Amino acid sequence: MSELRTKVDDLNTRILNGDILGAFEDYYADDVVMIDAGQPAREGKDINRTYEEAFVNGLSEFRGAEVKAVAVDEDKGKALVEWHFDFTHNDYGVQKYDQVAVQTWKDGQIVEERFYKL
């Protein structure tokens, strides 16, 4: 298994085990850019940490998540992860959807991540 695939799998496992914020600290670069399709980019780890903390702290019920598929291109530093989520959030209400995260990795960390709801 490739080094990148090992990191992607560890990140996904940590998210599935509820260590979202710890995984964020370990795997996201200080200058990370995160983009939800159709929304302005969030630039920098501090801004994205605040966003991730608000998401985690707003969860009122977590019914499950599943990694449906993973693709990795080691040479290009790209990973695509297809997720299924089912939760209730204080700000967003009941959420049940599939999403693809397209990650760009450099030096063992994510420098860009784009999210597309299916």
Side-chain angles (χ1 to χ4, degrees):
M1 188 178 317
S2 74
E3 181 180 340
L4 179 55
R5 178 60 191 253
T6 299
K7 289 182 184 302
V8 170
D9 287 347
D10 184 59
L11 171 63
N12 294 342
T13 298
R14 289 177 66 183
I15 291 169
L16 289 168
N17 289 333
D19 186 22
I20 295 168
L21 298 177
F24 177 82
E25 289 303 322
D26 291 344
Y27 284 114
Y28 287 75
D30 289 340
D31 59 349
V32 66
V33 175
M34 298 175 81
I35 306 163
D36 290 300
Q39 300 297 315
R42 296 183 304 273
E43 297 183 20
K45 193 166 188 172
D46 291 340
I47 289 170
N48 283 293
R49 181 186 301 108
T50 299
Y51 184 88
E52 294 297 317
E53 288 171 348
F55 174 78
V56 170
N57 293 332
L59 288 170
S60 56
E61 183 180 3
F62 189 77
R63 290 175 294 280
E66 174 188 0
V67 174
K68 297 176 78 173
V70 176
V72 172
D73 184 330
E74 184 85 28
D75 293 335
K76 293 184 180 175
K78 290 283 192 177
L80 288 77
V81 183
E82 182 182 3
W83 286 92
H84 174 75
F85 293 106
D86 185 3
F87 60 87
T88 302
H89 194 276
N90 295 334
D91 295 326
Y92 313 127
V94 175
Q95 298 287 305
K96 188 173 185 177
Y97 60 89
D98 293 333
Q99 172 180 280
V100 174
V102 179
Q103 303 164 342
T104 302
W105 291 72
K106 182 178 178 186
D107 299 326
Q109 293 190 308
I110 296 170
V111 295
E112 182 182 280
E113 188 167 35
R114 294 176 179 261
F115 302 98
Y116 302 93
K117 282 191 180 178
L118 303 179

